[in-house]
Amino acid sequence: MRELIILGLETSCDETAAAVVRRNANGAGQILSNIVHSQLADHAPYGGVVPEIAARAHVQRLDGLIAKAMVEAGIGFDRLDGVAATAGPGLLGGLLVAMMEGKAIALARDIPFIAVNHLEGHALTPRLLGACEFPYLLLLISGGHTQFQLVEGVGKYTRLGTTIDDALGEAFDKVAKLLGLPYPGGPQVEAAALKGNAKRFAFPRPLKGRDDCNFSFSGLKTAVREVVKGMPILSSQDVADVAASFEAAIADTMADRLAHAFAAFRARHNLTRPIFVVAGGVAANKKLRGVFEVECAKAGFTLSVPPFHLCTDNAAMVAWAGAERLALGLSDELDFAARPRWPLDSISEPVYGHGRLGAKA
Ligand code: KG4
Ligand code: ZN
């Protein structure tokens, strides 16, 4: 296989991003540029992502980001072997921006267009960063998704478990809101928890002990709401104690769910030291990171967490997924339609909360 240089575009939620990656003939990857513009400040006053604002901001920014990504990569458009754009899942108005732009460049340069599943971008990121042979176990924990995937090859995914209600990042954000902390709440809850007493409130451990790899966070969130309602005035110590008790419940649940997912992986693949990959913004949480380390050591898995800027939404992962697909001879027609819902694993039954319309990925 020859070397491939791919431009990747990402506009599925609230990050506008363009990147250029190279896939060497031996399959190794290299990031030539990776530009991300976060729209966080545009959405923060509303406490969440506003689709219309997001789509407009993507339109305004994407051209400039592409130009910057090409300059930083030090190449002209004539050097590109393909253009990859996130085609779903995500907010339709946003998806259309990268799709249109990607198709236009592919048409003008007469190079292949690759429609990328955003979740596949997250799933394949460890292979861009170093040796990571299939099969491996993936946990994706972001603002819109919480799922275990068995990754057996490009396009070969089996969902081992998913949230049946809220995503994990969403649970952090909602608890932050209840505590009067700003959006996005995950880092705020983590910081508050450092000064709190994790034993003060006995929050539920949802699905703990259940013989599957699913998650549920809405009951836990309701329990937090009830506790907060019972305290008309929240002192900063109360906030810290609720945050710490909530985080402890999440950590405990995660350890239990991980044990089930590791067993489910081992039931399918008998590897001496399998790889466990974690992606998504919540992977930044240090308490959870500790749980991953302990549980991987217990179960004989090697933990692989990409650096934070590649765990969260970016276009390098989109370009890389495009490169992996193109290397296998896969590309898409220019009439490929955006897919707001696009589960990675098309075989498993849909579950509420999984790949749903408008979900952040
Ligand atoms: O992957 P991501 O950047 O964006 C998408 O969802 O697409 O993930 C964002 C989510 C937010 O819900 C945010 O609150 C959460 O990740 N998050 C965290 C932490 N940092 C970000 N949650 C818990 N602890 C953190 N340190
Ligand atoms: Zn994502």
Side-chain angles (χ1 to χ4, degrees):
M1 186 68 212
R2 68 195 166 94
E3 170 189 290
L4 295 173
I5 295 182
I6 307 291
L7 170 67
L9 309 176
E10 161 63 42
T11 56
S12 66
C13 193
D14 58 347
E15 264 91 27
T16 317
V20 180
V21 307
R22 173 162 50 215
R23 184 184 184 281
N24 296 329
N26 65 4
Q30 196 186 349
I31 298 174
L32 303 184
S33 62
N34 186 21
I35 317 282
V36 181
H37 170 75
S38 168
Q39 302 175 0
L40 210 57
D42 300 335
H43 301 286
Y46 306 93
V49 178
V50 184
E52 180 63 23
I53 292 176
R56 282 171 192 273
H58 289 312
V59 171
Q60 280 161 4
R61 292 269 176 181
L62 189 59
D63 276 345
L65 295 193
I66 293 173
K68 207 166 161 196
M70 296 300 288
V71 168
E72 269 195 25
I75 59 163
F77 284 90
D78 56 327
R79 291 283 309 282
L80 292 177
D81 298 294
V83 187
T86 298
L91 299 167
L92 181 60
L95 292 171
L96 292 177
V97 179
M99 293 276 281
M100 286 301 156
E101 188 100 27
K103 288 173 179 178
I105 295 169
L107 184 65
R109 304 302 319 179
D110 193 22
I111 51 177
F113 170 73
I114 309 111
V116 166
N117 182 318
H118 177 96
L119 305 177
E120 181 159 61
H122 282 300
L124 298 178
T125 297
R127 289 167 55 79
L128 161 63
L129 303 175
C132 184
E133 296 294 324
F134 299 122
Y136 53 87
L137 178 67
L138 168 76
L139 171 65
L140 178 60
I141 38 176
S142 69
H145 290 272
T146 301
Q147 49 187 260
F148 284 112
Q149 292 279 349
L150 170 61
V151 184
E152 290 177 305
V154 175
K156 292 193 185 123
Y157 305 94
T158 308
R159 195 187 70 209
L160 297 179
T162 182
T163 178
I164 57 173
D165 40 56
D166 294 348
L168 181 51
E170 193 181 357
F172 269 95
D173 294 339
K174 285 179 176 169
V175 165
K177 211 168 188 173
L178 289 171
L179 294 175
L181 300 170
Y183 172 86
Q188 307 279 340
V189 170
E190 175 169 34
L194 288 176
K195 292 164 247 147
N197 172 7
K199 295 212 171 82
R200 178 164 162 203
F201 302 103
F203 290 132
R205 274 55 176 161
L207 305 192
K208 190 171 173 185
R210 225 172 75 162
D211 193 19
D212 62 25
C213 310
N214 288 335
F215 293 94
S216 166
F217 298 111
S218 76
L220 173 56
K221 176 194 66 197
T222 305
V224 173
R225 185 189 299 124
E226 290 308 309
V227 160
V228 171
K229 260 204 321 210
M231 294 190 291
I233 297 167
L234 276 181
S235 70
S236 61
Q237 193 56 52
D238 293 335
V239 169
D241 291 346
V242 170
S245 303
F246 165 76
E247 215 182 40
I250 296 282
D252 229 18
T253 306
M254 183 57 80
D256 176 72
R257 304 290 79 202
L258 274 181
H260 284 82
F262 288 158
F265 182 91
R266 286 214 183 268
R268 288 167 174 81
H269 291 284
N270 182 21
L271 301 178
T272 328
R273 200 149 180 101
I275 297 174
F276 173 55
V277 175
V278 188
V282 190
N285 186 281
K286 291 193 186 63
K287 177 120 187 145
L288 283 177
R289 181 77 71 111
V291 171
F292 300 142
E293 281 163 4
V294 168
E295 296 304 314
C296 276
K298 270 200 235 164
F301 275 68
T302 297
L303 178 63
S304 162
V305 189
F308 183 62
H309 70 287
L310 294 172
C311 263
T312 55
D313 290 351
N314 65 87
M317 71 178 194
V318 177
W320 177 252
E324 291 243 55
R325 295 185 75 78
L326 195 57
L328 294 171
L330 302 169
S331 64
D332 297 285
E333 299 296 331
L334 294 183
D335 63 356
F336 193 102
R339 297 177 179 176
R341 282 177 56 91
W342 190 3
L344 253 190
D345 164 6
S346 52
I347 301 160
S348 299
E349 290 282 304
V351 173
Y352 173 71
H354 169 71
R356 71 181 187 277
L357 186 71
K360 283 178 55 162

